[in-house]
């Protein structure tokens, strides 16, 4: 029996030398230390041995078991080391390589323009009033003196959300920021109906029109509306305010001009131009040789609109204006296609 144990030990250790990988090692373990291995058969046969033999063989069997287990652990450690060494050679890691840069984002060119406008008007005492983008016909048109069927509505092709045509007050996407004038005036006049406070606000935000999309027209675009109301405000205040705005926005020497125009919610109404800041008024491709750039519309708030906002037109007057910030950004940066703004193409956005 002792002879047999010696063979078992010998065979086990010899077989282990040939083991090269984890799978072979596991197979070796099953053969030499597993439940039906020769060694385990010796252990289960111990009961049948004589009283004298049993402790001697038992002790020897334990020694063989310990020796095989120790050799097994040794081999397993060796294989692990070899695998690690191999992976370090194959997948070399250079800890001195510079890290990957996280690209920093920045503000969209339109957001930059809007913030510049808030800044300029903020310095002039105007506060930002945000109004809803989903409007109804009453606020977008009727209260601004565009009655149902008024031809001026044709200039603002409208997206209908609900009740288009059949209802007399359909839900629509606002076609301009002007309905915010009514909402702001009503909110303020409700605080003191007999003596409403003066108003000096700008109303920025998205507007929507069912436009044929071209390099000059998009179905969504920003506007920046302005509204000032108080006792004794005149057209000179409007001119002075917009002239001052143009100088702050485009440079100290920028000249402005006003051309008579028409809007239902202002009377009189004007178109507002600034001297071309690209060529300084000499005439260039951007101003199409005229020396002037059209920036927006303006006028004195119509008495009907004042009344609809809760302001008595006998006691209050006011002016309003509407600017196209995207147009300003386009002129300034020589952007020749308005569709770039919301395409989210990094090749465009990274230039600002
Ligand atoms: N709401 C006009 C439009 O979108 C722009 C406008 C013109 C606004 C004159 C005004 C204004 O406040 O006085 O076409």
């Amino acid at each position: 029996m002792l002879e047999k144990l010696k063979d078992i030990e010998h065979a086990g250790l010899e077989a282990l030398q040939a083991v090269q990988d984890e799978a072979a090692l596991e197979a070796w373990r099953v053969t030499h230390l597993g439940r039906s291995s020769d060694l385990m058969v010796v252990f289960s046969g111990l009961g049948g041995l004589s009283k004298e033999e049993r402790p001697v063989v038992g002790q020897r069997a334990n020694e063989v078991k310990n020796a095989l287990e120790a050799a097994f652990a040794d081999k397993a450690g060796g294989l692990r080391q070899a695998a690690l060494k191999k992976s370090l050679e194959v997948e070399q890691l250079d800890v001195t390589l510079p890290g990957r840069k996280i690209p920093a984002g920045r503000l969209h060119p339109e957001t930059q323009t809007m913030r510049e406008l808030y800044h300029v008007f903020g310095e002039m005492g105007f506060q930002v009033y945000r109004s809803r983008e989903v409007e109804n016909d009453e606020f977008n048109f009727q209260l601004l003196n565009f009655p149902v069927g008024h031809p001026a509505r044709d200039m603002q092709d409208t997206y209908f959300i609900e009740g288009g045509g059949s209802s007399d007050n359909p839900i629509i996407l606002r076609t301009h920021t002007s309905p915010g004038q009514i909402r702001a005036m009503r909110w303020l006049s409700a605080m003191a109906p007999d003596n409403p406070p003066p108003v000096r606000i700008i109303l920025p935000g998205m507007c929507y029109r069912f436009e044929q999309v071209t390099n000059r027209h998009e179905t969504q675009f920003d506007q920046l509306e302005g509204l000032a109301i108080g006792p004794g405000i005149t057209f000179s205040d409007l001119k002075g305010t917009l002239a001052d705005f143009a100088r702050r926005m485009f440079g100290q020497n920028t000249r402005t001009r006003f051309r008579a125009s028409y809007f239902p919610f202002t009377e009189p109404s004007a178109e507002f131009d600034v001297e071309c800041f690209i060529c300084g008024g000499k005439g260039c491709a951007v101003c199409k040789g005229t020396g002037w750039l059209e920036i927006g519309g303006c006028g004195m708030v119509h008495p009907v609109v004042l009344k609809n906002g809760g302001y008595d037109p006998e006691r209050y007057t006011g002016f309003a204006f509407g600017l196209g910030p995207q147009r300003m950004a386009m002129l300034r940066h020589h952007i020749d296609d308005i569709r770039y703004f919301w395409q989210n193409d990094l090749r465009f956005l990274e230039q600002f």
Side-chain angles (χ1 to χ4, degrees), residues 286-301:
V286 175
C287 61
K288 301 208 178 71
T290 64
W292 295 95
L293 299 170
E294 193 183 317
I295 290 297
C298 60
M300 299 305 289
V301 181

Side-chain angles (χ1 to χ4, degrees), residues 98-111:
R100 268 188 212 131
K101 248 200 186 146
I102 297 170
R106 67 189 93 171
L107 293 175
H108 190 283
E110 178 64 1
T111 308

Side-chain angles (χ1 to χ4, degrees), residues 146 155-156 175-178 181 207 209 221 223-226 263 265-266 269-270 296-300 319-323:
F146 293 78
M155 291 192 298
Q156 306 193 2
T175 56
H176 52 174
T177 43
S178 306
Q181 289 190 22
C207 303
R209 290 187 199 175
F221 53 93
Q223 281 194 346
L224 188 101
E225 187 99 5
F263 300 102
F265 41 89
T266 45
S269 306
C298 60
M300 299 305 289
F319 64 77
F321 54 86
L323 308 173

Side-chain angles (χ1 to χ4, degrees), residues 49-71:
L49 296 179
S50 67
K51 243 200 333 224
E52 295 74 34
E53 258 185 317
R54 203 183 300 150
V56 184
V57 174
Q59 191 190 353
R60 181 74 190 116
N62 269 323
E63 281 169 14
V64 171
K65 183 164 175 265
N66 289 340
L68 290 180
E69 279 176 353

